[in-house]
Amino acid sequence: MKSKFILLGLACLSFGTTVKAQDLIKQIPEDAEMIAAFHMKDIVQKANANKLNELLQKTGFFEKSGISANNDIKNLGVDLSQTAYFYTRKTDSISFTEFIFSLNNKGQFEKLLHEAGEPKAFANGYTSIGLKAGSMLVYNDRIARFVSATTNTTFLDNDSIASRYGIKKVDYVARPADDEDAWADTTVSAMDSAAVVWDADERLAPPVAIAAEPDTIVGATEVLPPVVDIAAAAAAAVDAAEMHDPSYYDSLYTAYEDQNRKNDSIRNGLRDKWLLNEVTRLVSGSHKSLSIADQQKVLKNLGLIRLYVPHVEDLYRGLMPYTTSLPYYYMGIKLDKFKTGYQDGLLDLVQEGNVLKLKGSVGLDKALAEMTKRMYARKPNSKFSKYLTDKTLGFFNVNINSEAYLREMPAYMAKYYSGLLGPQQDVVEWGLMALEIALDEKAVAQVMPGDHLVVVNGLRKFKKDYIDYTYDDDYNATEVKKTKEETLPVFIWMFTSKDQRLIKKGLDMAVSKQVGQVHDGIYSFSKQKAKDFPMYVLLKEDLVMVSNDSLSLNDIRQNKMNAPGNKDFVKLMKQNKMSAAIDLQKLPTMLKEMGVTPDKQWETTLAQLNQYGSTAITSKGVVGNRAEVEMSTRLPQTSDGAISYLLDQILAELNKK
């Protein structure tokens, strides 16, 4: 019975924590462009609270905050058991960012802010405190919210919008001699009744003067002197004298600078006003919250940190300044018609023991998901496995279905990109259709089906020819061909080819034209101008192999590749559509053999790589309707895990100082 009560209590506690976390995420508006979630409880636990305290002490955080150095992060008033959030929101006129986190002790939290200013009552039970221009911090007993704003310059560059807010564009030009009032009107604008303040330290770069050619002088032909208006000539002489007076240009620049300062002041005033309106809206709860579906995508299976983009396509468009791009406009390219087929995007930082992973995925619309699955519906050639050995430093493998790729790509381009070209859309679609008809996908797929493997297997010394010069007594140069040894990585690029006729004919043609040679079935292509290393090609069974090392290809030709396999690399290759990895343990030895000497500050770090595992980038292709990719690094094995190990390295560096 007692155990039942304990289980019930734990369930209630778990439910209460979830409700609180979900309550905080409801503060995020539905039109947030990008959201980051920080699993504070998991971060603190895996980083080790004692190490975090030590790090904060060594960086002077407690001292600068006016808190006792014996204190710790648990006494900062921040609730480290709750998830914190960061998000961005953008309109056509302004961009907002907000960082939201939970509090468990308002009084302790306020001690951190004692240097920022006096707390003031704000609205809806919140308190505000002064920060730098363009940002606000508001908090209550439960939540702290840091909000900042940046105006979008392209919005206020529009003349009609700028004039609506009293912003006047002014150029640094000489005033017209006959219209002082008009000149004054265009250089100094009258302000609204609202007071305008600007920073006295702000300065604009002085304008660049434009040189003017003097009038053409007419000579040789004798002409009668014109009738001179004495009064007009005198006035012109006075104006000319003014323009040669340095103080005249000083006054022009002063007016130019003043107007731009006033413009900046208006922009800053708008920013601060819009920021105040945004914060008031947020704390009043009058905004629509993030949808339930989006909330679940942020919180479900949350690791250490998650970045979530609800609408990837909108983010793409937001990064393109197509509204002000005149070249695109005149070329007929309509970037507002740009489509990607992408939906939402996720990026997760996860710790699994001593392995740190960065997992990314993007949702695809139905058509793009099905198309992508067809293009990547190919497994690696099983024969690749025996070339991943214990000597392998690193590899790259990708598997594309060439036949499907060639068949689908014209349709993909027409669907997602042809809309960019406006009137030329029909021509583009016609050209893509012609390309589709011209290509024989099945024939191309026989020559190169689409599975590739690049392997780096250790190092080898290569002899390299180079050109040097000798000089006689008269400094006349003579070319001298010399040879030196260089230690370089050995690589082999291989791909499947069921029909090798075209490749073999091309190789034989190169030999017949004395561009290359063939010996024991291995084609070699000579160095060009004594600068490059020779390249070698071997056709073996259904594989085409290209390498910088003839000895490796000769061993393969004679089936002498009998080194033990690298099980981890083989597993990565077989389980993924794309994979790449490097064995960090082998890197120090490789660099030493190559004669690379690291700086003193890198010596320790490089030596520690002997304790690391491999770093890998992999992709399973499309799973469901999501394209997935993952990057992982295996750190040295410790009892506390990957994050704690990284903190140890940071603390070790701080202790050296």
Side-chain angles (χ1 to χ4, degrees):
M1 180 66 73
K2 186 176 180 180
S3 61
K4 290 182 179 179
F5 280 112
I6 293 173
L7 290 173
L8 180 61
L10 289 173
C12 291
L13 180 62
S14 174
F15 177 75
T17 303
T18 304
V19 169
K20 193 170 183 181
Q22 289 178 342
D23 183 52
L24 196 59
I25 198 174
K26 288 178 182 176
Q27 307 298 322
I28 301 175
E30 67 172 351
D31 55 348
E33 187 178 46
M34 190 182 301
I35 304 158
F38 302 86
H39 194 170
M40 301 303 294
K41 183 178 180 180
D42 208 27
I43 292 172
V44 172
Q45 181 181 356
K46 290 180 177 175
N48 188 314
N50 292 331
K51 290 180 183 179
L52 283 175
N53 278 330
E54 186 181 352
L55 178 62
L56 293 175
Q57 288 173 12
K58 289 187 180 299
T59 55
F61 172 78
F62 294 124
E63 183 181 350
K64 293 174 184 176
S65 302
I67 301 172
S68 168
N70 294 324
N71 217 324
D72 65 38
I73 56 175
K74 294 179 182 177
N75 297 327
L76 300 181
V78 178
D79 190 347
L80 298 175
S81 68
Q82 300 302 314
T83 303
Y85 300 94
F86 171 87
Y87 72 87
T88 63
R89 190 179 82 83
K90 186 167 69 174
T91 69
D92 57 350
S93 57
I94 193 164
S95 297
F96 297 107
T97 62
E98 182 177 7
F99 183 49
I100 317 171
F101 53 95
S102 297
L103 301 179
N104 57 17
N105 191 316
K106 179 182 176 182
Q108 287 181 333
F109 178 69
E110 282 184 322
K111 289 181 181 178
L112 301 175
L113 311 171
H114 70 285
E115 291 184 357
E118 288 295 321
K120 297 179 181 179
F122 184 67
N124 294 85
Y126 278 83
T127 301
S128 69
I129 199 159
L131 296 173
K132 66 178 183 179
S135 60
M136 287 184 68
L137 174 65
V138 294
Y139 57 94
N140 58 20
D141 293 335
R142 199 170 56 88
I143 302 173
R145 316 180 68 142
F146 176 78
V147 190
S148 63
T150 307
T151 53
N152 298 335
T153 54
T154 53
F155 176 75
L156 293 174
D157 283 344
N158 184 292
D159 289 338
S160 62
I161 293 174
S163 63
R164 183 197 311 165
Y165 293 109
I167 296 174
K168 289 193 175 182
K169 296 181 181 179
V170 53
D171 296 322
Y172 178 48
V173 294
R175 66 178 164 182
D178 59 343
D179 192 358
E180 283 194 16
D181 292 336
W183 170 81
D185 240 7
T186 59
T187 55
V188 183
S189 69
M191 301 306 300
D192 297 356
S193 57
V196 176
V197 181
W198 59 83
D199 187 347
D201 290 333
E202 291 180 6
R203 291 288 184 272
L204 297 177
V208 179
I210 300 173
E213 295 294 327
D215 293 339
T216 303
I217 299 174
V218 179
T221 305
E222 185 176 347
V223 294
L224 292 175
V227 178
V228 178
D229 184 333
I230 302 298
V238 171
D239 283 340
E242 274 189 12
M243 293 184 69
H244 287 286
D245 184 354
S247 63
Y248 167 72
Y249 290 99
D250 288 343
S251 65
L252 279 180
Y253 180 65
T254 300
Y256 170 85
E257 189 180 46
D258 286 349
Q259 179 59 52
N260 278 288
R261 283 182 174 177
K262 291 175 182 179
N263 287 345
D264 287 341
S265 183
I266 294 172
R267 293 187 187 99
N268 293 338
L270 288 170
R271 177 201 63 201
D272 294 342
K273 178 182 176 182
W274 291 335
L275 173 62
L276 181 62
N277 291 341
E278 175 73 359
V279 176
T280 303
R281 184 178 76 98
L282 290 170
V283 302
S284 67
S286 60
H287 63 283
K288 286 187 177 181
S289 299
L290 201 64
S291 71
I292 298 297
D294 284 333
Q295 290 181 37
Q296 290 175 345
K297 287 184 178 180
V298 172
L299 293 174
K300 186 178 180 181
N301 299 325
L302 178 63
L304 296 171
I305 301 172
R306 171 170 293 165
L307 181 66
Y308 174 58
V309 180
H311 306 286
V312 173
E313 196 161 275
D314 290 347
L315 184 64
Y316 263 107
R317 290 202 183 106
L319 296 174
M320 295 181 178
Y322 55 84
T323 53
T324 58
S325 182
L326 289 178
Y328 284 133
Y329 176 80
Y330 285 111
M331 289 167 60
I333 296 176
K334 298 182 178 180
L335 291 177
D336 57 327
K337 300 293 185 183
F338 176 70
K339 292 189 296 182
T340 62
Y342 299 147
Q343 297 175 336
D344 62 290
L346 286 169
L347 187 64
D348 286 313
L349 179 64
V350 178
Q351 173 184 303
E352 295 179 3
N354 66 320
V355 179
L356 206 57
K357 293 185 176 182
L358 200 59
K359 298 181 177 182
S361 69
V362 61
L364 310 177
D365 65 30
K366 185 177 180 181
L368 182 57
E370 292 176 354
M371 185 185 300
T372 306
K373 286 178 181 178
R374 290 192 291 269
M375 289 193 291
Y376 289 88
R378 184 172 184 82
K379 295 180 180 180
N381 190 326
S382 59
K383 295 177 183 177
F384 286 170
S385 301
K386 63 182 177 183
Y387 302 108
L388 297 174
T389 71
D390 60 354
K391 295 181 180 179
T392 302
L393 172 69
F395 78 95
F396 170 73
N397 170 245
V398 64
N399 302 283
I400 300 170
N401 187 323
S402 296
E403 182 181 346
Y405 192 88
L406 294 172
R407 185 174 60 248
E408 301 284 357
M409 191 49 64
Y412 171 79
M413 296 293 292
K415 179 178 176 65
Y416 292 102
Y417 291 94
S418 62
L420 290 171
L421 297 177
Q424 287 76 35
Q425 179 173 346
D426 292 344
V427 177
V428 173
E429 290 179 351
W430 179 86
L432 291 170
M433 184 181 293
L435 179 65
E436 183 179 0
I437 294 171
L439 288 173
D440 186 343
E441 301 95 346
K442 291 187 180 296
V444 173
Q446 286 294 310
V447 176
M448 189 180 286
D451 48 359
H452 298 262
L453 176 68
V454 178
V455 183
V456 178
N457 282 329
L459 301 170
R460 186 156 289 170
K461 289 185 178 180
F462 294 90
K463 288 184 178 180
K464 180 178 181 180
D465 295 334
Y466 67 99
I467 300 297
D468 200 357
Y469 296 89
T470 60
Y471 299 89
D472 60 21
D473 294 339
D474 296 325
Y475 298 100
N476 296 313
T478 303
E479 284 190 1
V480 179
K481 187 176 180 181
K482 294 184 177 181
T483 303
K484 64 179 179 179
E485 279 192 344
E486 286 192 15
T487 303
L488 294 173
V490 172
F491 78 86
I492 305 174
W493 164 39
M494 61 188 75
F495 59 90
T496 304
S497 179
K498 299 289 187 182
D499 186 348
Q500 299 177 357
R501 290 175 300 169
L502 183 65
I503 297 172
K504 190 174 187 310
K505 189 173 182 62
L507 294 171
D508 291 337
M509 189 186 303
V511 172
S512 67
K513 294 183 179 295
Q514 298 183 341
V515 177
Q517 302 175 33
V518 60
H519 181 69
D520 289 337
I522 298 176
Y523 294 84
S524 63
F525 296 89
S526 304
K527 319 160 202 181
Q528 297 296 318
K529 298 182 181 179
K531 291 181 180 179
D532 305 320
F533 293 99
M535 299 300 294
Y536 305 93
V537 180
L538 170 66
L539 307 180
K540 182 177 173 62
E541 299 173 353
D542 63 349
L543 295 179
V544 176
M545 299 185 179
V546 181
S547 177
N548 62 342
D549 182 33
S550 61
L551 296 179
S552 294
L553 292 187
N554 193 53
D555 286 345
I556 292 172
R557 185 184 67 82
Q558 298 183 51
N559 297 317
K560 291 183 179 180
M561 290 285 291
N562 51 9
N566 187 319
K567 294 180 181 179
D568 290 338
F569 283 179
V570 171
K571 184 178 179 181
L572 284 175
M573 184 193 70
K574 286 185 174 181
Q575 292 182 349
N576 295 281
K577 300 294 184 183
M578 183 280 293
S579 55
I582 181 170
D583 188 345
L584 296 178
Q585 289 182 336
K586 291 186 172 66
L587 199 57
T589 303
M590 186 196 80
L591 293 177
K592 185 178 180 180
E593 289 181 17
M594 291 178 67
V596 177
T597 305
D599 295 336
K600 286 187 177 180
Q601 66 183 71
W602 288 101
E603 277 186 39
T604 305
T605 303
L606 198 60
Q608 288 174 341
L609 290 180
N610 288 318
Q611 306 169 39
Y612 282 59
S614 59
T615 291
I617 300 175
T618 60
S619 173
K620 294 186 180 300
V622 179
V623 180
N625 72 324
R626 304 191 70 81
E628 297 182 350
V629 66
E630 177 179 302
M631 179 177 180
S632 64
T633 298
R634 189 175 297 278
L635 301 177
Q637 186 72 51
T638 62
S639 57
D640 293 329
I643 298 293
S644 181
Y645 174 82
L646 291 178
L647 277 182
D648 285 337
Q649 304 313 302
I650 295 171
L651 288 169
E653 290 298 320
L654 290 174
N655 288 331
K656 293 178 183 178
K657 298 179 180 179

